[in-house]
Amino acid sequence: MNPPSSDAKTWLVTGGAGFIGANFVLKVIADGVRVVNVDKLTYAGNLDTLAPLAGNDRHIFVQGDIKDRALFQRLLTAHKPEAIINFAAESHVDRSIDGPAAFVETNVVGTLSLLEAARDYWRSMEGPERDRFRFLHVSTDEVYGSLGDEGRFTEATAYAPNSPYSASKAASDHLVRAFHHTYGLPTLTTNCSNNYGPYQFPEKLIPLVIQKALHGEPLPVYGDGLNIRDWLYVGDHCSAIKKVLERGRVGETYNVGGNAERTNIDVVRTICSLLDARRPLPSGKPHDSLITFVKDRPGHDRRYAIDASKLQHELGWQPAQTFETGIAQTVDWYLSNQTWIQRVLDGSYRMERLGA
Ligand code: NAD
């Protein structure tokens, strides 16, 4: 049974109907937290993901935009959360190539508006409540730009964003930093590598490939397929955010990574072999016969790799999944949740190429 709401601590989450935000909301509500979940419900936000929370009095969903400062003033005063966790963003690099303005609106202007509401709320608090309050901003390793064959991003790596998406996230990170230094707002920032796992919108590499492979469609691989990403299972990312929120040092940033560098072509081949074993193609051919190399993404960063040793040493966090265990669970989840996929693909996106 759920404990009475008055006993539970309250966190305000933005973007909690998206991929990572929803995984986080489902996890922390199971842990006993009360969540006020504010999401605009763009194409990437799906209430179906939150269906397991129907009737749970520790989940309060509000459809709203992080730019709506008056809405946040009302919600903060009414619910008095101990923390704000900002997941809300436009998140797809290819879409940022086609239309960068929406990325500036939400990721930069929206984050600024949310910071202003958070600052005013925090200033209105007193004593232990004020000391306890945290603003945690979820960001990306893409702000650091691209790596050569050697080295990994640390928290001291200079920002060098290359896409409109990463530039907008970098701007938001700088605003978070400035609100700590200028106003004293107790902020925390996490910069993580590419996430994968349940409930990811099928425009991103891993769910897109699973979905296309299941239907025997060509599997598009950008360029030579040798771009490297450092994959992080979404459940591990959520446990890292929770740890940083509860124990991170105010004003600090923490890198989060899964120690799982893989080339894109390796990722696609791994998915193909898992599907060969679980759902062979009617033709009897292996799924990797569907791989098709396509024109590269403009400005495609070559390699990302995360050094997460600060988070490991300071806060004792470790990823629980290897890439092999995480990707097998992910393929199994998509095989068992085809209804979710059909419902989120509501007709506005048909898994076509974007940002070419
Ligand atoms: P997502 O696109 O799946 O979800 C984003 C959510 O934000 C959606 O539910 C959407 O409706 C909501 N949203 C968008 N604009 C909004 C607005 N103006 N106001 C309120 N809600 C709005 O994204 P995700 O993959 O879950 O990413 C979450 C966060 O993590 C983002 O900040 C992203 O930059 C960051 N991140 C993601 C990854 C990754 O691999 N997915 C990696 C590093 C960092």
Side-chain angles (χ1 to χ4, degrees), residues 109-187:
V109 181
T111 301
L112 172 63
S113 176
L114 186 64
L115 281 164
E116 292 198 286
R119 177 201 57 202
D120 295 348
Y121 167 64
W122 169 71
R123 279 180 169 165
S124 73
M125 298 163 107
E126 287 172 1
E129 275 181 8
R130 184 181 160 114
D131 295 342
R132 209 181 302 129
F133 180 75
R134 297 288 181 272
F135 182 100
L136 189 147
H137 178 62
V138 178
S139 192
T140 168
D141 61 353
E142 301 193 26
V143 297
Y144 299 124
S146 186
L147 290 166
D149 292 341
E150 299 293 320
R152 295 189 292 167
F153 300 129
T154 73
E155 291 79 1
T157 304
Y159 274 33
N162 289 321
S163 71
Y165 163 67
S166 55
S168 68
K169 291 298 290 187
S172 67
D173 294 6
H174 291 322
L175 285 167
V176 171
R177 179 188 163 86
F179 267 63
H180 174 64
H181 284 270
T182 306
Y183 306 108
L185 185 70
T187 62

Side-chain angles (χ1 to χ4, degrees), residues 193-206:
S193 53
N194 283 50
N195 282 224
Y196 67 101
Y199 302 115
Q200 188 167 29
F201 191 78
E203 64 186 353
K204 305 277 168 59
L205 179 69
I206 288 176

Side-chain angles (χ1 to χ4, degrees), residues 14-22 38-46 64-67 72 86-92 102 105-107 110 137-142 165 169 190-196 199-201 203-204 231-232 237:
T14 71
F19 164 47
I20 306 171
V38 189
D39 195 294
K40 186 177 174 181
L41 298 179
T42 68
Y43 79 94
N46 294 292
D65 192 317
I66 56 166
K67 277 200 314 188
F72 280 88
N86 183 30
F87 292 95
E90 288 292 338
S91 72
H92 190 38
E105 278 304 314
T106 285
N107 301 359
H137 178 62
V138 178
S139 192
T140 168
D141 61 353
E142 301 193 26
Y165 163 67
K169 291 298 290 187
T190 55
N191 294 85
C192 71
S193 53
N194 283 50
N195 282 224
Y196 67 101
Y199 302 115
Q200 188 167 29
F201 191 78
E203 64 186 353
K204 305 277 168 59
W231 293 93
L232 173 65
H237 185 197

Side-chain angles (χ1 to χ4, degrees), residues 81-318:
E82 288 178 21
I84 298 174
I85 303 105
N86 183 30
F87 292 95
E90 288 292 338
S91 72
H92 190 38
V93 175
D94 287 344
R95 286 182 194 262
S96 81
I97 296 168
D98 290 340
F103 287 70
V104 173
E105 278 304 314
T106 285
N107 301 359
V108 186
V109 181
T111 301
L112 172 63
S113 176
L114 186 64
L115 281 164
E116 292 198 286
R119 177 201 57 202
D120 295 348
Y121 167 64
W122 169 71
R123 279 180 169 165
S124 73
M125 298 163 107
E126 287 172 1
E129 275 181 8
R130 184 181 160 114
D131 295 342
R132 209 181 302 129
F133 180 75
R134 297 288 181 272
F135 182 100
L136 189 147
H137 178 62
V138 178
S139 192
T140 168
D141 61 353
E142 301 193 26
V143 297
Y144 299 124
S146 186
L147 290 166
D149 292 341
E150 299 293 320
R152 295 189 292 167
F153 300 129
T154 73
E155 291 79 1
T157 304
Y159 274 33
N162 289 321
S163 71
Y165 163 67
S166 55
S168 68
K169 291 298 290 187
S172 67
D173 294 6
H174 291 322
L175 285 167
V176 171
R177 179 188 163 86
F179 267 63
H180 174 64
H181 284 270
T182 306
Y183 306 108
L185 185 70
T187 62
L188 297 156
T189 300
T190 55
N191 294 85
C192 71
S193 53
N194 283 50
N195 282 224
Y196 67 101
Y199 302 115
Q200 188 167 29
F201 191 78
E203 64 186 353
K204 305 277 168 59
L205 179 69
I206 288 176
L208 182 82
V209 165
I210 296 171
Q211 207 52 25
K212 284 191 179 278
L214 275 177
H215 291 90
E217 293 173 22
L219 308 179
V221 175
Y222 291 177
D224 60 8
L226 298 180
N227 299 65
I228 293 176
R229 299 294 180 260
D230 190 348
W231 293 93
L232 173 65
Y233 188 70
V234 66
D236 285 331
H237 185 197
C238 292
S239 72
I241 291 171
K242 196 160 177 258
K243 194 142 248 186
V244 172
L245 189 60
E246 291 175 338
R247 300 205 14 231
R249 280 185 293 134
V250 162
E252 292 289 314
T253 71
Y254 292 88
N255 281 355
V256 191
N259 299 321
E261 279 187 63
R262 296 289 184 282
T263 61
N264 287 346
I265 191 70
D266 275 352
V267 169
V268 174
R269 290 216 169 97
T270 303
I271 294 169
C272 287
S273 64
L274 289 165
L275 287 174
D276 288 343
R278 289 157 165 79
R279 203 64 74 82
L281 285 171
S283 65
K285 288 186 179 168
H287 284 89
D288 66 7
S289 63
L290 300 168
I291 290 174
T292 311
F293 291 92
V294 298
K295 193 169 176 293
D296 208 354
R297 166 191 282 167
H300 201 179
D301 286 340
R302 193 62 172 172
R303 174 171 168 259
Y304 303 142
I306 278 271
D307 178 345
S309 53
K310 177 175 171 181
L311 182 56
Q312 278 162 18
H313 295 146
E314 268 190 29
L315 306 185
W317 174 86
Q318 292 274 12

